[in-house]
Amino acid sequence: MTDILVAGGGPAGLTAALYAARAGKSVVVLEGNAPGGQINFSPLVENYPGLPSIPGSRFSEDLLRQAEELGVELEYESVTGFRTHGNGFQVTTDCALRECRALVLATGVQHRTLGLPGEEELVGQGVSYCAVCDGPFYAGKATAVVGGGDTALQDALFLSGICSQVTLIHRREEFRGARRLVEQALARDNIVCEMDSTVEELLTREGGLSGVTVRNRITGQAKQLEVDGLFIAVGQQPQNGPFSALLAADEDGYLLAGEDCKTSLPGVFAAGDCRSKGVRQLTTAVGDGAVAGLAACRWVDEHPN
Ligand code: NAP
């Protein structure tokens, strides 16, 4: 029996674990993939107070080390469900059955797809959802980024340092992302923008991506762009499927929990991007982690076996 199990090893989950370990609780973080979550894919984090500029992967490495030094255990297991059990919870993972007194869900989000024919098959053959991971494969080549948020802008900036040209394709006339990133992108000679435009078709040659058909929704005109790589950065969606039967969620699947991170089920807390909230940032994720970690500790203290 662990005091607190944390599902998800991103910034929210690791922060919750760190706070709980510092409070003397036994804590295990269950993470099916590489710890760090989405921030691993951020080339440079420039809006975390006190850390003016840090690669996302470096941030997550440092956070993991800090948590482990405080006694947090990390297990590479995906949580597949849970149920109430006595005074606590029984948690199933892809390879184990675990028990805990309080549960923190910090399962984050995963990338959204465009849903185009051939998109899935072309992943690794020209289509990517991670510029930091796959950008170097397109050194000196022409690429395109789809999206208008912070991720798309950051991806375009990152790729412009590697690729010959980056076309930023956004479906509206204004970017959603931070003004500073927009200004940086517009100032780059090798970033061109296709605004009010959507990708309509993925073009292929010899099994790989050779280009895209882009349609301007104002003029109605379509044109073909020759690109070797297409980086899709059109937002994210939660991964709360395994918990949907037991916990209240909003219409998009985000867990309903207030600023106190309490879900509809006492003893279960939601932290970070998987929670229904207005602002999804690294800072708000770690803020949630602190709140959820301390709330879980309080729950354990107030509900002894
Ligand atoms: P996002 O802010 O939700 O932006 C998604 C973008 O994709 C929007 O511009 C959206 O267009 C567009 N889009 C959505 N569905 C589309 C579709 N089917 N076809 C074409 N375009 C589509 O997602 P994000 O950029 O991944 O950012 C997610 C959160 O993480 C945000 O809160 C962001 O601020 C945060 N973030 C922060 C940092 C940082 O701290 N430095 C870095 C990255 C991300 P519309 O604008 O028309 O809706």
Side-chain angles (χ1 to χ4, degrees):
M1 169 74 82
T2 309
D3 287 334
I4 298 167
L5 284 178
V6 178
L14 289 174
T15 304
L18 184 155
Y19 268 74
R22 272 174 63 86
K25 300 290 183 268
S26 59
V27 191
V28 177
V29 174
L30 304 169
E31 168 61 65
N33 296 306
Q38 297 290 316
I39 202 65
N40 282 335
F41 307 137
S42 194
L44 214 51
V45 178
E46 292 183 302
N47 57 1
Y48 192 88
L51 294 176
S53 177
I54 184 169
S57 55
R58 171 76 195 278
F59 180 90
S60 53
E61 278 166 25
D62 289 352
L63 178 53
L64 176 61
R65 192 177 316 114
Q66 185 184 7
E68 287 184 325
E69 282 172 7
L70 286 163
V72 171
E73 281 178 51
L74 174 74
E75 296 293 345
Y76 288 89
E77 294 173 28
S78 284
V79 174
T80 53
F82 76 91
R83 66 184 184 96
T84 53
H85 179 67
N87 215 7
F89 302 95
Q90 206 169 53
V91 175
T92 49
T93 74
D94 49 1
C95 59
L97 187 62
R98 294 176 172 276
E99 289 184 1
C100 64
R101 316 255 305 275
L103 180 59
V104 176
L105 301 176
T107 46
V109 289
Q110 62 182 180
H111 60 77
R112 196 182 284 146
T113 66
L114 288 176
L116 289 170
E119 183 175 344
E120 207 178 318
E121 294 78 3
L122 285 167
V123 171
Q125 303 295 327
V127 168
S128 169
Y129 301 89
C130 178
V132 174
C133 320
D134 300 330
F137 296 123
Y138 300 93
K141 297 183 172 175
T143 56
V145 176
V146 192
D150 287 336
T151 304
L153 290 160
Q154 278 195 334
D155 286 358
L157 285 165
F158 176 75
L159 292 169
S160 77
I162 302 173
C163 304
S164 57
Q165 178 164 306
V166 182
T167 305
L168 192 45
I169 304 163
H170 181 38
R171 66 183 178 184
R172 287 188 298 126
E173 65 172 338
E174 277 181 13
F175 287 107
R176 176 187 289 268
R179 178 192 284 228
R180 185 176 146 78
L181 294 174
V182 174
E183 287 169 357
Q184 285 177 357
L186 295 179
R188 292 278 170 97
D189 288 341
N190 64 345
I191 297 182
V192 292
C193 297
E194 292 285 346
M195 306 304 282
D196 288 315
S197 299
T198 54
V199 175
E200 204 171 67
E201 188 186 8
L202 302 174
L203 308 171
T204 57
R205 192 187 308 124
E206 294 169 6
L209 186 82
S210 60
V212 291
T213 304
V214 173
R215 187 176 296 279
N216 184 296
R217 65 178 186 95
I218 306 294
T219 65
Q221 286 190 329
K223 65 174 167 187
Q224 294 190 346
L225 301 178
E226 280 188 26
V227 290
D228 294 297
L230 180 71
F231 291 84
I232 298 169
V234 295
Q236 297 147 345
Q237 56 199 16
Q239 312 177 77
N240 295 326
F243 321 123
S244 56
L246 281 173
L247 301 175
D250 70 13
E251 59 187 13
D252 296 318
Y254 291 97
L255 297 176
L256 287 179
E259 292 300 315
D260 58 8
C261 295
K262 290 180 180 170
T263 68
S264 53
L265 188 64
V268 180
F269 304 88
D273 286 1
C274 70
R275 176 171 84 84
S276 165
K277 52 156 79 179
V279 179
R280 290 194 173 82
Q281 292 280 310
L282 181 55
T283 43
T284 60
V286 301
D288 273 8
V291 172
L294 291 174
C297 291
R298 204 172 309 120
W299 173 267
V300 170
D301 290 340
E302 289 172 359
H303 298 82
N305 263 336

